[in-house]
Amino acid sequence: MTCTIIVGGFFGDEGKGKIVAHIAHQDRPTIIARGGVGPNAGHTVQVGDKQYGVRMVPSGFVYPDARLCIGSGVLVDPRVLIAELDSLNAHDRCFVDFRCGIIEEDHILRDRRSDHLREKIGSTGTGCGPANADRVMRTGRLARDVPELARYLLDVPAAVNAEIDDGASVLLEGTQGFGISLYYGTYPFVTSKDTSASQIAADIGVGPTSIDDVIVVFKAYPTRVGEGPFSTEMTHDESNALGIQEFGTVTHRERRIGCWDGEMARYSAMINGCTQAAITGIDKVDSACYGVTEYDRLSSKAKEFLRCAESDIGRPITLISTGPELSQIIDLRADYQE
Ligand code: GTP
Ligand code: IMP
Ligand code: MG
């Protein structure tokens, strides 16, 4: 049984939601805990023809047998959280650490009215930057101060570490991506916190010695929303010719599309302490691979892409996603276990 962290290796939106949902169904964790910034994230999970988009609830919710926890480093917008719990009917299995910072209406207004955040950085307008600023100034409210959250409050690190000590399987999910880390990304065009695996562990209150695996998720064609450098960005004409177009889950802005960035993948794998990598969007490398679930059935073009990507990352690619739906994946993890 293992404690696994899943994080984004490029600029976010790599498909972590789908990868977490798949791993959850395979590994049957007793707890899935979320780290990362807050409701600026948007995870998409597609099961059959039903598509879910979540911003606060861990994307592992599609696996019904795990407790869902939000770590103390994550900003909680109580309105967003409660609306999601209503729509997913997940009130009884979702828990919030009592130390989570709270996003107030005023944080959202400050985010949206700030030329610097909204125009220059291209923030999501969800109040995360101003709420993290207030947390650093030690003026913000915490989850324990909000009556509507009382029924969800939990000492999340105590619950997660108890499961780890019991030898259960535990998933720690990250949000955003390496390139928008406050420490390692393209500052100032970044989010309001680090996004690397160490930060996700700290967000949830799990020490580095308890982590068995760090799975870094990369997308074959990286994307970026908001402003900031993107060295492998394509022109609109190039991405259209490849038939690639994506829109943000939270802001519905069109995502900028780029080519595979081997240098960034390697650097990101290093800082995240990657043990295994996942690649999404292999169906965009070769549409003949859409929905394929066995490695041997991938085309030689896709296999060649994966060989190059694996050499860039310097770690084995053990999960290969071939479409947005949960079952469209090749899982090679068992082949790499010692
Ligand atoms: P953040 O936490 O906001 O960074 O998001 P995320 O990493 O969970 O990704 P998000 O769901 O925002 O975006 C990924 C998009 O790619 C979604 O629309 C997924 O449904 C889709 N997707 C995931 N895997 C694949 C894949 O293998 N092929 C294709 N075509 N789409 C995929
Ligand atoms: P903020 O986190 O809303 O302050 O936005 C800062 C930058 O991070 C902007 O460029 C956003 O588009 C980007 N960003 C924040 N969260 C995500 C995410 O989950 N996926 C992709 N980009 C994000
Ligand atoms: Mg997203």
Side-chain angles (χ1 to χ4, degrees):
M1 293 299 160
T2 51
C3 177
T4 304
I5 300 185
I6 292 123
V7 285
F10 283 144
F11 294 97
D13 307 319
E14 296 90 354
K16 296 175 289 295
K18 186 229 164 122
I19 297 294
V20 167
H22 165 78
I23 295 178
H25 281 89
Q26 297 300 310
D27 295 7
R28 309 180 142 270
T30 50
I31 285 198
I32 301 171
R34 207 206 116 157
V37 182
N40 50 351
H43 287 306
T44 315
V45 186
Q46 197 182 317
V47 185
D49 48 22
K50 199 149 169 51
Q51 187 163 308
Y52 302 90
V54 285
R55 294 169 53 192
M56 289 270 30
V57 172
S59 29
F61 73 87
V62 291
Y63 172 68
D65 298 332
R67 274 190 287 169
L68 306 169
C69 293
I70 300 178
S72 59
V74 180
L75 294 165
V76 170
D77 183 329
R79 294 151 293 230
V80 176
L81 175 67
I82 291 168
E84 278 181 10
L85 293 174
D86 281 342
S87 76
L88 300 170
N89 194 16
H91 294 280
D92 293 338
R93 64 183 183 113
C94 191
F95 302 91
V96 174
D97 189 88
F98 61 93
R99 292 153 284 204
C100 286
I102 293 298
I103 298 183
E104 316 280 358
E105 263 319 314
D106 176 58
H107 293 131
I108 297 173
L109 291 178
R110 276 156 62 193
D111 195 353
R112 293 187 181 169
R113 286 180 185 160
S114 155
D115 284 346
H116 174 70
L117 290 177
R118 211 56 210 276
E119 303 301 326
K120 181 179 172 196
I121 309 297
S123 80
T124 58
T126 52
C128 290
N132 266 336
D134 278 1
R135 183 145 197 186
V136 171
M137 291 303 286
R138 287 146 287 175
T139 55
R141 285 197 304 163
L142 301 185
R144 66 180 181 215
D145 306 318
V146 180
E148 305 88 83
L149 294 178
R151 68 177 281 198
Y152 308 106
L153 296 185
L154 184 69
D155 183 333
V156 167
V160 173
N161 283 286
E163 294 296 331
I164 294 173
D165 292 346
D166 266 5
S169 215
V170 166
L171 283 189
L172 309 183
E173 57 176 87
T175 59
Q176 287 79 39
F178 179 77
I180 57 169
S181 158
L182 179 63
Y183 294 167
Y184 302 108
T186 54
Y187 186 90
F189 302 101
V190 293
T191 189
S192 52
K193 211 170 71 179
D194 179 30
T195 54
S196 68
S198 310
Q199 177 69 63
I200 302 304
D203 284 345
I204 298 164
V206 176
T209 48
S210 297
I211 308 301
D212 300 297
D213 262 315
V214 175
I215 299 183
V216 183
V217 185
F218 297 97
K219 65 204 291 194
Y221 288 101
T223 59
R224 176 163 201 166
V225 272
E227 303 306 315
F230 188 4
S231 61
T232 65
E233 185 170 10
M234 299 178 198
T235 63
H236 241 101
D237 287 348
E238 286 168 321
S239 54
N240 284 345
L242 287 165
I244 307 177
Q245 194 182 30
E246 286 189 34
F247 293 91
T249 316
V250 177
T251 58
H252 309 294
R253 289 179 291 182
E254 188 165 1
R255 292 176 179 160
R256 300 155 64 192
I257 315 274
C259 297
W260 175 259
D261 185 341
E263 209 178 308
M264 183 176 181
R266 190 170 197 87
Y267 199 72
S268 155
M270 173 184 80
I271 288 183
N272 280 302
C274 176
T275 60
Q276 306 178 33
I279 306 268
T280 61
I282 286 301
D283 51 306
K284 290 177 177 167
V285 173
D286 185 348
S287 57
C289 298
Y290 182 79
V292 165
T293 54
E294 288 165 49
Y295 183 83
D296 290 343
R297 295 192 175 234
L298 289 174
S299 65
S300 47
K301 184 179 176 190
K303 285 179 182 162
E304 181 53 25
F305 175 89
L306 289 164
R307 260 192 298 278
C308 292
E310 193 166 71
S311 140
D312 290 334
I313 297 164
R315 290 284 178 271
I317 294 172
T318 56
L319 291 155
I320 302 163
S321 176
T322 58
E325 208 275 329
L326 183 62
S327 63
Q328 295 175 316
I329 194 161
I330 302 166
D331 190 335
L332 304 170
R333 287 178 301 153
D335 300 350
Y336 288 90
Q337 268 157 13
E338 291 123 60

